Amino acid sequence: MGTRTKETETKRTVTWPQWIGGIGVGLLLMQIGLLAGWSSPYIERLLTGQSFILITVKEASLIVSFLNLGRLFGAIIGVIFVNIFGSRKSILICTIPMSFCWIFTIIADRIFWLYLGRICGGISMGISYSCFSLYLGEIADSNIRGALVTVGMAGVSCGTLFIFLMACYLSFRISAIVNLIFNIILTILFIWLPDTPHHLVKKNQDEKAKQSILWYHRDSNVDVELSNLKNFYNQFDESTFVALKQFKIPQIRNAMLVTIALFFYTQMCGLNTILFYMETILKSAQVDFIEPSFIVIIVTIFGIMASLISMTLIDTFGRKILMCCSCLMVIIALSSLGTHFQLLDMNVDPKMIQWLPIVCIILFEMAAFVGLLPVPSAVVGEIFPPNIKCVAASISSIFASLFALVAAGTYQILVDLITKKYIFWMYSIIMITAIPVTIIFLPETKGKTLQEIQNKLMNGKLKEVKNINERNETSRF
């Protein structure tokens, strides 16, 4: 929880309630992985008439696009939900459109229902990315906060793996039923979990806030924790309008720009491109000694392993080092993948080098899930004042949705214009710029409470924030 001192947190021995919350977020993001991975195997079946519906290539493109469009809309409304209902209830709310996504997939007898399902799934995705990191930031001790974020991000790769495995044996309707069951379990869990102490203090529900503190932090001094939390929040005005005006403060504005930059690199490294087109890339790389569909499963398993490794690394080495190392591995993987296609153009025997794209994609997947994915999600819940981070998370989610839409939407166009080798080299050049940006601008938040982070980042500017709030309060009368 953000208001405890570092000395207090080192004495904590009871953290299992926080891990339950982290596992819940893992189930939430597993739904995102199921949703994102669904299109790769099942659209192929729909295109070839192996399912009840036969679709065209244009309709398949729309199915993919509607997911990102729904995500954009969900990110926009996410700021409203988080401010009104809090991060825990927002997670609960986003299970509703996700349920409709799988229900529409189950009943689909024409393409309209698949379109509607993907839009609902995208809305759920947008809301999820607006609130899950805030929830973890508000319930977790500083020494495990990063680990809980990586548990959540592991859910993405687990969901992707499950949908690939289900696609080998189950129709899209049966797999949608299984996915719906997972979503129901997620819903039940978050109905049972209490709201975060931060949200309850914001709503002046002190008794419920005490109960929440006791649930998430069993060995805490409740009165001291509540007092610290209230003092922390008293420094800030909670209205969204005032929060937006506070982006004029250089420290807050810079934190927002850094966060947007991190999500830019997360999406523009080609992550969605490789996820959506992995089998196609492997086939065009002339890999034939292993079935591409089997390689996809292997790659996803490595992604899960990387997420588990990241749980330890993110709170041991910190966000900045992990992000830089992750970007470096991504650069090596992408540039090597582009080199593979260059060697094919030079008429090198494909059988001699078909191991290279497999190694590159495995390295890319591991690098992405070690740092490139968890670090931005961890940072967005840490570096903003409490009255701003809801808005900041939603703005980050909106930009991430736009970047994802651009990256996925331009891939096939760029393939036709400049071929695959130049696309992967272009991605690697973009990622080279991520390293100096991270070193220079990303603040290190490892092991710090949320209050300590704010004191350091604001560098004495909390008084300026308070003055802005007082001026806005005076202007109301």
Side-chain angles (χ1 to χ4, degrees):
M1 206 166 73
T3 56
R4 290 191 298 276
T5 64
K6 199 180 303 181
E7 290 77 10
T8 303
E9 289 193 353
T10 57
K11 299 177 182 178
R12 297 288 178 232
T13 57
V14 181
T15 59
W16 62 263
Q18 300 167 39
W19 282 99
I20 290 177
I23 292 170
V25 170
L27 289 174
L28 171 69
L29 294 187
M30 188 180 79
Q31 286 287 312
I32 303 303
L34 291 167
L35 186 66
W38 182 92
S39 59
S40 179
Y42 284 109
I43 282 182
E44 181 65 24
R45 292 189 184 186
L46 294 168
L47 284 169
T48 56
Q50 299 176 39
S51 296
F52 293 99
I53 306 170
L54 178 63
I55 65 173
T56 65
V57 173
K58 183 178 180 180
E59 289 170 335
S61 177
L62 287 174
I63 289 175
V64 173
S65 299
F66 279 139
L67 178 66
N68 284 322
L69 289 174
R71 178 182 176 180
L72 179 59
F73 181 69
I76 293 171
I77 64 176
V79 63
I80 302 173
F81 287 170
V82 173
N83 273 288
I84 296 176
F85 303 112
S87 56
R88 196 273 302 185
K89 285 192 179 75
S90 295
I91 292 175
L92 190 57
I93 289 170
C94 78
T95 65
I96 298 173
M98 185 64 75
S99 294
F100 280 112
C101 167
W102 301 127
I103 290 171
F104 291 148
T105 305
I106 293 167
I107 67 173
D109 57 359
R110 60 184 188 273
I111 193 68
F112 167 78
W113 294 111
L114 294 180
Y115 289 159
L116 196 57
R118 298 300 280 180
I119 291 173
C120 289
I123 291 172
S124 178
M125 182 183 292
I127 299 172
S128 298
Y129 280 116
S130 296
C131 63
F132 86 86
S133 60
L134 301 182
Y135 172 77
L136 294 178
E138 290 173 353
I139 69 166
D141 291 340
S142 63
N143 60 322
I144 64 168
R145 191 167 58 233
L148 291 185
V149 172
T150 58
V151 167
M153 296 312 301
V156 177
S157 49
C158 287
T160 305
L161 176 61
F162 287 161
I163 198 66
F164 287 152
L165 291 173
M166 284 191 288
C168 296
Y169 306 102
L170 304 177
S171 68
F172 75 87
R173 287 180 175 172
I174 300 299
S175 68
I177 292 173
V178 176
N179 298 340
L180 180 60
I181 292 172
F182 282 128
N183 194 61
I184 291 171
I185 295 171
L186 169 66
T187 304
I188 293 171
L189 176 60
F190 274 93
I191 288 174
W192 172 65
L193 288 170
D195 282 317
T196 68
H198 290 65
H199 173 68
L200 294 169
V201 166
K202 285 166 60 178
K203 298 299 180 182
N204 296 315
Q205 299 179 16
D206 290 357
E207 288 303 315
K208 289 186 177 180
K210 287 183 179 180
Q211 295 172 14
S212 178
I213 292 170
L214 276 176
W215 200 94
Y216 287 111
H217 309 279
R218 301 286 169 120
D219 51 354
S220 62
N221 185 322
V222 177
D223 292 330
V224 172
E225 302 287 0
L226 181 63
S227 176
N228 289 340
L229 190 56
K230 292 181 73 172
N231 290 336
F232 184 44
Y233 271 89
N234 285 338
Q235 300 177 84
F236 305 98
D237 189 305
E238 294 299 326
S239 70
T240 302
F241 176 73
V242 174
L244 289 172
K245 292 189 69 173
Q246 289 178 4
F247 280 96
K248 294 179 180 179
I249 298 172
Q251 284 83 351
I252 295 175
R253 185 173 60 249
N254 292 341
M256 188 74 258
L257 292 175
V258 170
T259 305
I260 292 173
L262 292 178
F263 281 101
F264 169 80
Y265 291 120
T266 298
Q267 298 300 328
M268 298 307 291
C269 69
L271 180 63
N272 285 327
T273 297
I274 291 179
L275 176 63
F276 293 153
Y277 296 98
M278 195 181 301
E279 287 193 37
T280 303
I281 291 170
L282 290 168
K283 289 178 180 177
S284 62
Q286 300 186 37
V287 175
D288 57 11
F289 76 100
I290 302 178
E291 281 294 323
S293 57
F294 183 65
I295 296 174
V296 169
I297 294 174
I298 295 173
V299 169
T300 308
I301 292 173
F302 274 99
I304 296 172
M305 292 169 56
S307 296
L308 297 176
I309 293 171
S310 181
M311 288 173 54
T312 301
L313 298 181
I314 195 168
D315 284 317
T316 301
F317 295 101
R319 283 66 165 153
K320 184 174 290 191
I321 292 177
L322 200 60
M323 185 72 178
C324 289
C325 293
S326 175
C327 290
L328 181 60
M329 289 191 293
V330 165
I331 292 166
I332 294 171
L334 291 171
S335 58
S336 299
L337 191 57
T339 301
H340 173 84
F341 286 101
Q342 172 65 26
L343 293 173
L344 292 180
D345 289 345
M346 296 169 62
N347 297 319
V348 174
D349 185 2
K351 294 187 181 300
M352 294 178 59
I353 58 172
Q354 59 179 316
W355 58 270
L356 182 57
I358 299 174
V359 172
C360 290
I361 292 177
I362 289 175
L363 178 62
F364 177 89
E365 184 87 358
M366 292 188 68
F369 280 93
V370 160
L372 199 55
L373 284 175
V375 168
S377 297
V379 167
V380 75
E382 296 174 333
I383 65 174
F384 294 100
N387 65 324
I388 293 175
K389 63 182 178 180
C390 296
V391 178
S394 295
I395 291 174
S396 301
S397 184
I398 290 169
F399 274 96
S401 302
L402 288 171
F403 297 145
L405 191 61
V406 170
T410 57
Y411 174 72
Q412 197 57 52
I413 297 173
L414 291 174
V415 168
D416 297 334
L417 287 176
I418 61 175
T419 71
K420 288 185 177 66
K421 63 182 179 182
Y422 290 111
I423 292 175
F424 294 121
W425 285 340
M426 180 186 71
Y427 289 155
S428 65
I429 292 172
I430 290 173
M431 293 308 298
I432 288 174
T433 65
I435 295 178
V437 168
T438 299
I439 293 173
I440 297 171
F441 299 109
L442 178 63
E444 183 54 73
T445 57
K446 180 192 71 171
K448 297 182 176 67
T449 67
L450 299 185
Q451 188 170 16
E452 289 171 335
I453 294 169
Q454 289 309 307
N455 291 338
K456 181 177 180 180
L457 292 179
M458 295 304 292
N459 192 23
K461 290 290 183 178
L462 285 177
K463 184 179 292 186
E464 181 178 336
V465 176
K466 191 170 183 179
N467 290 338
I468 290 177
N469 293 338
E470 290 174 352
R471 288 198 300 270
N472 281 282
E473 185 68 28
T474 302
S475 67
R476 294 173 187 166
F477 299 97

